[in-house]
């Protein structure tokens, strides 16, 4: 994911995640980036949905990455923390759908 984030082209998310995982990532983004009160803009990721860069942003934010500074990217430890948290959430999400 780190290499794909540096790339100038958008790569398909299906290279890394399956359809269920993508659906869970979309749900996490919708819940995590709920529209705030009317006087503020809704938070969204700046990447196109269903690309590896989009998944990088969602997973990075789960790991504690703050997308405030444009120069700082989520590092491997932050992505690992985000992936661990994501897969824990994904297991719960799968169980809730049974």
């Amino acid at each position: 994911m780190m290499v794909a984030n540096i790339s100038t082209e958008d790569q398909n998310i299906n290279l890394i995640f399956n359809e269920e995982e993508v659906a869970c990532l979309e749900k996490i983004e919708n819940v995590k980036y709920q529209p705030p009160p009317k006087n503020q803009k809704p938070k969204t990721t700046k990447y196109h949905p269903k690309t590896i860069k989009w998944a990088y942003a969602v997973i990075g934010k789960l790991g504690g990455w703050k997308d405030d500074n444009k120069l700082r990217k989520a590092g491997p430890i932050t992505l690992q923390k985000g992936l661990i948290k994501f897969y824990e959430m994904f297991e719960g999400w799968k169980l809730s759908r049974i």
Side-chain angles (χ1 to χ4, degrees):
M1 277 196 303
M2 291 184 67
V3 174
N5 188 48
I6 297 170
S7 173
T8 57
E9 62 185 50
D10 289 334
Q11 296 175 345
N12 192 340
I13 196 169
N14 293 329
L15 296 172
I16 298 177
F17 297 103
N18 64 32
E19 291 178 19
E20 282 186 317
E21 292 168 335
V22 172
C24 184
L25 277 170
E26 289 176 332
K27 190 70 168 176
I28 290 170
E29 184 188 34
N30 290 340
V31 170
K32 194 161 179 66
Y33 304 113
Q34 289 181 20
K38 293 181 182 179
N39 59 351
Q40 296 177 2
K41 294 180 183 178
K43 295 179 179 179
T44 59
T45 58
K46 60 185 174 184
Y47 303 107
H48 297 290
K50 297 190 178 181
T51 61
I52 295 177
K53 290 182 181 184
W54 170 78
Y56 168 90
V58 175
I59 297 292
K61 287 182 186 231
L62 284 175
W65 175 54
K66 307 282 190 261
D67 194 14
D68 299 337
N69 187 349
K70 304 288 187 239
L71 301 176
R72 297 206 56 194
K73 303 291 182 188
I77 295 172
T78 303
L79 289 175
Q80 180 187 19
K81 289 178 184 177
L83 280 170
I84 290 168
K85 193 169 185 179
F86 167 69
Y87 280 113
E88 289 172 353
M89 296 170 85
F90 179 64
E91 288 298 319
W93 183 76
K94 282 195 323 188
L95 288 172
S96 73
R97 298 181 71 202
I98 294 178

